[in-house]
């Protein structure tokens, strides 16, 4: 899943990126408001982490612009300590959540995971499709309760498909959501990776829709 980070402080941006990568996300970074606005308007992201104090264009304006353009991905605002006005303005501008700097990375990841769940009201960190269970907190995969060892790339693929259960995901969309910016995947590599993953899962959960893409069906597990 691609996550946009709009943050001008290099150190913070770097540690958010590193954390998100470790947690199986694909982070992309914009260092100023104009670049952040542009990327959010022109590319698909599952969520954005947006600093308020930014050069060129402040974070609240970026957020208002996105919402005016009907760009609806969830946004977590990063606000300065003690600035309650910013938080009020942020919610008004269309933010889904906010974090006060300095914050713990664990908290950021927990909030992000909550926003990415379709059933946000539930406290589930496990996504279920038939015999397949993906635990987004433990980053574990199991089929019929048997743990399956997957590579980071395979995990990112499962994570994206599971968050989009019931929808056909094109190969291009899958690629942009599992490879990092500096990687150049070819379509054959994705086929090979999915073939390997299917063999590991030993269950027919990742379906191919010829000419359209891939899908995990939206069915709750029997257990
Ligand atoms: Ca800043």
């Amino acid at each position: 899943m691609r996550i946009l980070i709009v943050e001008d402080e290099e150190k913070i941006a770097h540690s958010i990126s590193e954390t998100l990568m470790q947690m199986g996300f694909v982070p992309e970074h914009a260092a100023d408001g104009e670049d952040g606005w542009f990327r959010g308007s022109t590319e698909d992201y599952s969520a954005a982490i947006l600093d308020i104090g930014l050069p060129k264009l402040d974070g609240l304006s970026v957020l208002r612009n996105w919402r005016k353009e009907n760009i609806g991905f969830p946004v977590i605002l990063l606000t300065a300590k003690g600035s309650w006005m910013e938080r009020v303005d942020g919610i008004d501008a269309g933010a889904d959540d906010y974090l006060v700097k300095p914050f713990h990375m664990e908290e950021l990841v927990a909030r992000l995971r909550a926003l990415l769940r379709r059933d946000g009201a539930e406290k589930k960190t496990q996504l279920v499709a038939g015999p397949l269970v993906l635990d987004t907190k433990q980053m574990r995969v199991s089929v019929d309760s048997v743990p399956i060892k997957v590579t980071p790339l395979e995990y990112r693929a499962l994570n994206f498909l599971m968050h989009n259960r019931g929808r056909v995901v094109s190969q291009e969309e899958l690629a942009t959501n599992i490879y990092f910016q500096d990687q150049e995947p070819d379509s054959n590599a994705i086929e090979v990776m999915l073939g390997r993953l299917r063999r590991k899962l030993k269950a027919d959960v990742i379906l191919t829709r010829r000419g359209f893409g891939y899908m995990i069906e939206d069915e709750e597990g029997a257990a």
Side-chain angles (χ1 to χ4, degrees), residues 34-166:
E34 270 178 15
D35 187 31
W37 174 26
F38 176 74
R39 281 173 193 252
S41 299
T42 54
E43 308 259 333
D44 280 325
Y45 295 98
S46 298
I49 296 159
L50 176 64
D51 188 28
I52 288 188
L54 290 169
K56 294 189 184 173
L57 188 66
D58 69 278
L60 287 179
S61 301
V62 172
L63 180 57
R64 283 192 196 101
N65 289 346
W66 283 341
R67 295 315 191 215
K68 242 181 272 167
E69 294 165 348
N70 287 322
I71 287 156
F73 50 58
V75 172
I76 301 178
L77 279 180
L78 304 182
T79 76
K81 197 181 169 198
S83 181
W84 62 271
M85 260 315 277
E86 278 187 354
R87 299 200 284 280
V88 171
D89 289 345
I91 301 298
D92 280 344
D96 298 271
D97 203 350
Y98 63 83
L99 271 173
V100 179
K101 286 180 173 179
F103 52 85
H104 291 284
M105 284 300 155
E106 290 83 357
E107 188 172 6
L108 177 70
V109 170
R111 304 253 189 132
L112 182 62
R113 272 199 300 255
L115 285 179
L116 292 171
R117 287 196 290 269
R118 288 177 306 179
D119 44 4
E122 283 180 70
K123 294 279 173 270
K124 281 199 292 189
T125 55
Q126 288 192 339
L127 306 179
V128 180
L132 174 67
V133 176
L134 184 93
D135 188 318
T136 59
K137 194 171 180 197
Q138 309 282 334
M139 297 182 71
R140 284 189 188 135
V141 177
S142 65
V143 172
D144 289 324
S145 306
V146 179
I148 309 283
K149 225 180 151 191
V150 296
T151 66
L153 179 66
E154 290 164 352
Y155 180 85
R156 293 197 292 274
L158 274 180
N159 196 28
F160 187 73
L161 290 169
M162 285 294 268
H163 275 90
N164 291 280
R165 316 199 272 296

